[in-house]
Amino acid sequence: MKLKRVLASALLLVTLLTLPARAAQASGAKGEANITPDTPMAKIRSNPSVMGAGLYTYNQEQDTPRDIRKWKDTTLREYVNDCTAEDCAKGLNRMIENYNSGIQITYKLYTDEEIAAVPTRQKAEIYYFPGRDPGGKFVLVIGGNAIHTSAEMREGVSTAEWLNELGYTCFVLRYRIGDQAADNAPLEDVSRAVRYITEHAEQFHVQPEDYAVLAYSSGGQIAGLFASDSDTLGHKAYGVSKPGALLLGYPVNNFFELKPVWGLLIDPYADGPRYFDYNVSDYITPDYPPVYHWYGKNDVTLAKMYTPAQGRVIEKALVKNGVPHIFHHYHNAPHKIGPGRGTDAEGWITEAVAFWESQTAAKAADTAA
């Protein structure tokens, strides 16, 4: 009964949170693109264009009114962090300008019938950040999560801004986490996002082939499994094409001793292993897509999951299987820094995109030959 009351309260809260956005969409109201890193979250959320765009901005709260009150008066900088605030503010302003010009930002990934069958699918959606070069390749951005905390703004919007500056169209994924992530839901959401974008490639003005997946932290673990040729966990299992490259920032390879904890919190009734039980390194084969990955020596989060079981193990698997890749192990690159301004990792996205382009160009040349 207690679980039912919690779920009912969460559903009510989600409904209440979506009401302002629906009202803004219905009225056609527009807000100014004047967000800075020091803008309070309450002001950002009351901006008619942010509400109308439909971006999910409650990424720190744990779905309780108390948490919402706690965070509403904090600034964007306090809400995300110093490394991502500047890019996040610019990304939000770009989104506002896009919305004000008539561009749809939010796209649901499942039909009404599919959501009725599995209500948690209501959460899954993508946010569209069009680039300046129509017809180019696209990037799917997957932020990390910590059971109740997601990173659509800190890692998603900030990364979208960086990619937009480089000319690329990208889509920030909001996927199911926590007790909504049962039955490998995150993998289903990633595959559905790829399917939706590629099936609507002409509408989004992108190429459906050779897309990149840029992912962080636990999102990197999800992306790593999705990119594999596993018949049960990878892209083949969902009937979508393989990424042209994986671009990973501080990815989790092995949840190590946290696996039973995640099992109890996410999928306590599972009758077999779930996505968080698997290690990315175990699913790297010679057919794996090219990989750019990095993490920092001062990454406390990965240290809690036993650092020797993380990035270095992925690196060894890539070398063993002859997968084209670039690996960086930075001195100063903590967790949760996204594009990494002010750290050793700053500029990594530019280098990673160049690597992706070189790999797809080499693939095209081989095919032509």
Side-chain angles (χ1 to χ4, degrees):
M1 292 299 293
K2 182 178 179 181
L3 177 60
K4 290 183 178 180
R5 289 196 298 271
V6 171
L7 292 175
S9 298
L11 180 60
L12 175 61
L13 179 62
V14 170
T15 301
L16 292 174
L17 294 179
T18 59
L19 288 177
R22 293 172 183 169
Q25 290 169 330
S27 66
K30 296 181 179 179
E32 296 183 6
N34 57 4
I35 295 172
T36 73
D38 298 314
T39 302
M41 288 302 301
K43 185 174 181 180
I44 292 173
R45 289 168 176 164
S46 65
N47 185 302
S49 293
V50 173
M51 292 190 291
L55 175 72
Y56 183 73
T57 62
Y58 292 84
N59 309 133
Q60 294 282 18
E61 295 83 348
Q62 297 183 16
D63 292 338
T64 69
R66 179 181 178 182
D67 287 316
I68 292 172
R69 289 193 299 269
K70 170 185 174 183
W71 288 104
K72 74 181 182 69
D73 293 326
T74 60
T75 65
L76 177 63
R77 187 189 308 278
E78 294 167 331
Y79 194 75
V80 290
N81 57 42
D82 286 333
C83 293
T84 60
E86 179 182 342
D87 292 311
C88 190
K90 290 179 180 178
L92 288 170
N93 287 329
R94 190 187 296 266
M95 182 192 74
I96 290 171
E97 292 169 352
N98 287 338
Y99 176 79
N100 289 349
S101 68
I103 295 174
Q104 181 177 339
I105 305 299
T106 301
Y107 291 82
K108 290 292 184 184
L109 295 180
Y110 297 96
T111 65
D112 291 341
E113 293 75 16
E114 289 171 324
I115 292 172
V118 182
T120 59
R121 288 172 173 162
Q122 173 66 27
K123 178 179 180 179
E125 54 196 18
I126 50 175
Y127 308 115
Y128 176 42
F129 288 80
R132 64 172 178 265
D133 302 323
K137 296 188 291 295
F138 72 89
V139 184
L140 178 65
V141 180
I142 308 175
N145 75 83
I147 303 293
H148 290 291
T149 300
S150 53
E152 289 89 349
M153 290 181 63
R154 182 181 59 235
E155 293 167 345
V157 174
S158 64
T159 298
E161 171 58 22
W162 199 288
L163 289 166
N164 277 172
E165 280 294 304
L166 293 173
Y168 291 92
T169 290
C170 65
F171 300 84
V172 175
L173 174 66
R174 182 184 179 210
Y175 59 98
R176 286 171 282 177
I177 65 172
D179 59 5
Q180 296 184 333
D183 298 322
N184 289 337
L187 288 170
E188 181 184 29
D189 294 343
V190 172
S191 63
R192 178 55 67 97
V194 171
R195 180 183 300 279
Y196 190 93
I197 296 165
T198 54
E199 288 182 350
H200 296 83
E202 185 174 348
Q203 173 188 344
F204 291 128
H205 308 291
V206 296
Q207 296 177 19
E209 305 87 9
D210 293 326
Y211 65 94
V213 176
L214 192 158
Y216 296 99
S217 190
S218 53
Q221 190 262 354
I222 294 166
L225 294 178
F226 166 78
S228 74
D229 56 10
S230 167
D231 291 332
T232 56
L233 299 169
H235 58 92
K236 291 181 180 178
Y238 297 96
V240 296
S241 61
K242 180 174 67 175
L246 284 185
L247 315 177
L248 307 177
Y250 41 91
V252 172
N253 173 59
N254 183 346
F255 282 105
F256 206 60
E257 294 180 349
L258 290 179
K259 289 178 180 179
V261 177
W262 279 63
L264 289 173
L265 294 174
I266 294 177
D267 212 346
Y269 305 111
D271 56 2
R274 289 294 187 256
Y275 73 94
F276 45 81
D277 290 311
Y278 297 100
N279 305 330
V280 173
S281 56
D282 294 336
Y283 287 85
I284 293 175
T285 66
D287 192 44
Y288 206 72
V291 178
Y292 183 107
H293 69 121
W294 63 270
Y295 72 100
K297 293 181 180 179
N298 57 345
D299 190 323
V300 177
T301 300
L302 288 182
K304 292 178 181 178
M305 290 181 279
Y306 188 55
T307 300
Q310 307 305 333
R312 287 291 185 186
V313 181
I314 293 177
E315 174 66 7
K316 290 179 180 178
L318 293 170
V319 172
K320 177 181 178 181
N321 287 279
V323 178
H325 67 281
I326 291 177
F327 174 53
H328 290 299
H329 192 187
Y330 298 113
H331 287 280
N332 176 32
H335 216 69
K336 304 178 183 179
I337 61 173
R341 285 193 184 273
T343 73
D344 293 353
E346 182 171 349
W348 81 269
I349 293 178
T350 301
E351 183 183 25
V353 164
F355 167 76
W356 167 39
E357 288 286 9
S358 69
Q359 292 301 310
T360 54
K363 174 186 171 183
D366 288 344
T367 301

